[in-house]
Amino acid sequence: MNILAIETSCDETSAAVLKGGRIASNIISSQLIHQTYGGVVPELASREHERLIVPVVHAALEQANIKKSELEFIAATAGPGLIGAVLVGLNFSKALAFALRVPLIPINHIEAHIFSTFIDDGSASIVNGLASSHDGSQKKFPSFPFISLTVSGGHTMLAFVQEDLNYQVIGKTIDDAAGEAFDKTGKMLELGYPAGPAIDKLAQTGDARFHLFPQGLTKHASGDLRFENNFDFSFSGLKTAVQSYLRDKSTAFVAAHLADICASIQEAITSVLVAKTMAAAEKFGVKTISVAGGVSANSGLRKKFEAGCRERGHALFIPKPIYSTDNAAMIATLAQLKIDRGHVEPHGYDVSAFSSFEPRLTL
Ligand code: KG4
Ligand code: ZN
């Protein structure tokens, strides 16, 4: 089966081809224009998608060595995301699907993150880092049921995923997303945009115990993580805490302790993510954990999850960093899973884009 997938939900213009069950190309063009503004400017993102979509799609087809006439399905992000940005990719896909007389599969991009641990690019194996398993069984993909943590710039969500692509959202952020917590606190430290990767890099040489920042919605801010079935997250308190912590610090102090401050911020964000995911696994009696979304590229978070899963004998699946942030390979992969399970309903070309998250696998 040959699928072309397109993802334009935020500031990455991406196209991928899935051929015979495997990713044959995955082109991602990250829009650098937003760095000047310290955040994504929606109107500029839409215009950049307009400019990039044709060359990116051509590059994906060329790299996969496939002609447009060989495509059997077009899959595209229909939401959630910046509505203008989503519309560029979705409308392009509608036009292409119509011209080629092939079905259009609209995809919820957060659901694509959830199932991004099913991406198979041929090199995908546990040992080379697509996924790691600590239960001894060298499985390539998560087995159902599993707990999924999706942590991106716009979303933080815990889900219990059952067989057949059914899932139940069991927790989400009540304010900022985990990625936003990295980006906003990083902005206070003048680390540019997005600040997640910069904090990650600096944290590697810092002391995570340098300062104890609050861990949202945990029973004790002291680090003793106990919850009463509360799987929601909150990161706005951390943002305020970092702001007031920095208020009376000199520039010299911040410069001298930048790595320590970054490590402490990262500790506050990642500890709560890992602890709540583990607590959810326990509550639902699940032994498999899947972590996805841009923040899952964070090396500190990966280490914590690896240690936690090893200790409990859980299998852990995290996509390669290239598949953690927004990419069309995950859109193609979810489209394939839906086709395999007969979840694809015939769609008209009147499917609309949506901006905020609601579970809707049957779009
Ligand atoms: O999934 P994604 O590419 O886009 C959204 O759907 O939001 O996630 C982007 C987010 C940004 O907030 C970025 O700072 C964060 O992922 N991110 C990281 C790392 N790499 C990307 N956060 C922490 N550590 C990283 N290494
Ligand atoms: Zn995303």
Side-chain angles (χ1 to χ4, degrees):
M1 193 170 302
N2 298 328
I3 305 173
L4 170 71
I6 290 170
E7 145 65 30
T8 60
S9 65
C10 191
D11 57 343
E12 262 95 25
T13 313
S14 182
V17 173
L18 195 144
K19 225 168 133 180
R22 287 217 167 135
I23 295 299
S25 64
N26 180 44
I27 308 291
I28 305 171
S29 177
S30 298
Q31 304 176 357
L32 303 179
I33 191 166
H34 307 287
Q35 284 177 354
T36 324
Y37 303 93
V40 179
V41 183
E43 178 60 22
L44 290 181
S46 311
R47 292 179 193 202
E48 282 296 278
H49 287 308
E50 283 275 4
R51 195 173 66 78
L52 293 164
I53 189 120
V54 172
V56 165
V57 167
H58 273 145
L61 293 172
E62 200 173 302
Q63 195 174 311
N65 195 19
I66 196 170
K67 295 194 215 56
K68 282 200 280 288
S69 56
E70 294 172 88
L71 296 172
E72 291 159 280
F73 291 92
I74 309 287
T77 295
L82 302 171
I83 200 75
V86 173
L87 278 168
V88 175
L90 185 61
N91 285 340
F92 178 94
S93 304
K94 282 181 190 177
L96 188 58
F98 180 73
L100 296 173
R101 303 276 185 271
V102 298
L104 171 75
I105 307 179
I107 295 287
N108 178 320
H109 124 254
I110 295 301
E111 292 175 353
H113 275 304
I114 295 179
F115 295 98
S116 62
T117 41
F118 288 85
I119 292 174
D120 187 353
D121 64 4
S123 70
S125 78
I126 294 144
V127 268
N128 77 5
L130 176 77
S132 49
S133 165
H134 296 297
D135 68 351
S137 63
Q138 297 283 292
K139 279 184 236 115
K140 205 163 164 183
F141 306 115
S143 40
F144 295 95
F146 62 88
I147 293 290
S148 155
L149 173 71
T150 302
V151 268
S152 73
H155 298 272
T156 302
M157 197 175 88
L158 260 179
F160 172 55
V161 186
Q162 292 125 307
E163 193 73 57
D164 244 6
L165 307 189
N166 278 321
Y167 68 97
Q168 181 192 340
V169 177
I170 55 174
K172 52 186 172 2
T173 182
I174 58 165
D175 41 54
D176 290 346
E180 257 178 305
F182 274 106
D183 295 338
K184 289 180 178 172
T185 53
K187 194 171 182 178
M188 295 173 202
L189 294 166
E190 296 173 3
L191 295 176
Y193 178 85
I199 292 185
D200 186 356
K201 197 155 174 239
L202 283 157
Q204 284 168 25
T205 57
D207 177 6
R209 291 158 305 172
F210 181 70
H211 186 85
L212 192 69
F213 287 114
Q215 301 180 3
L217 296 187
T218 54
K219 211 167 172 199
H220 299 286
S222 63
D224 174 13
L225 295 169
R226 273 181 276 149
F227 336 94
E228 266 142 26
N229 292 331
N230 182 351
F231 297 119
D232 284 338
F233 300 92
S234 169
F235 294 105
S236 63
L238 170 68
K239 193 175 59 186
T240 313
V242 173
Q243 197 168 31
S244 50
Y245 171 77
L246 292 174
R247 197 165 294 142
D248 61 354
K249 303 289 179 295
S250 69
T251 314
F253 177 89
V254 174
H257 295 288
L258 190 57
D260 296 329
I261 298 169
C262 286
S264 302
I265 292 172
Q266 184 168 294
E267 177 68 20
I269 300 171
T270 57
S271 292
V272 69
L273 292 174
V274 175
K276 292 213 173 196
T277 307
M278 294 303 175
E282 197 173 316
K283 181 175 177 202
F284 287 85
V286 164
K287 302 289 284 174
T288 300
I289 285 165
S290 166
V291 189
V295 179
S296 73
N298 184 270
S299 58
L301 184 70
R302 285 176 175 247
K303 281 197 198 111
K304 269 196 201 308
F305 265 116
E306 274 161 20
C309 286
R310 194 178 305 120
E311 205 176 286
R312 293 169 179 80
H314 292 352
L316 173 67
F317 294 85
I318 306 181
K320 285 180 194 169
I322 189 72
Y323 301 130
S324 294
T325 45
D326 288 342
N327 66 88
M330 67 182 188
I331 305 298
T333 299
L334 180 54
Q336 173 83 67
L337 288 172
K338 289 172 86 165
I339 295 165
D340 291 349
R341 284 167 169 76
H343 278 234
V344 179
E345 286 160 27
H347 286 285
Y349 297 108
D350 56 349
V351 56
S352 13
F354 56 98
S355 57
S356 54
F357 180 78
E358 331 162 13
R360 40 159 120 187
L361 259 178
T362 50
L363 249 175

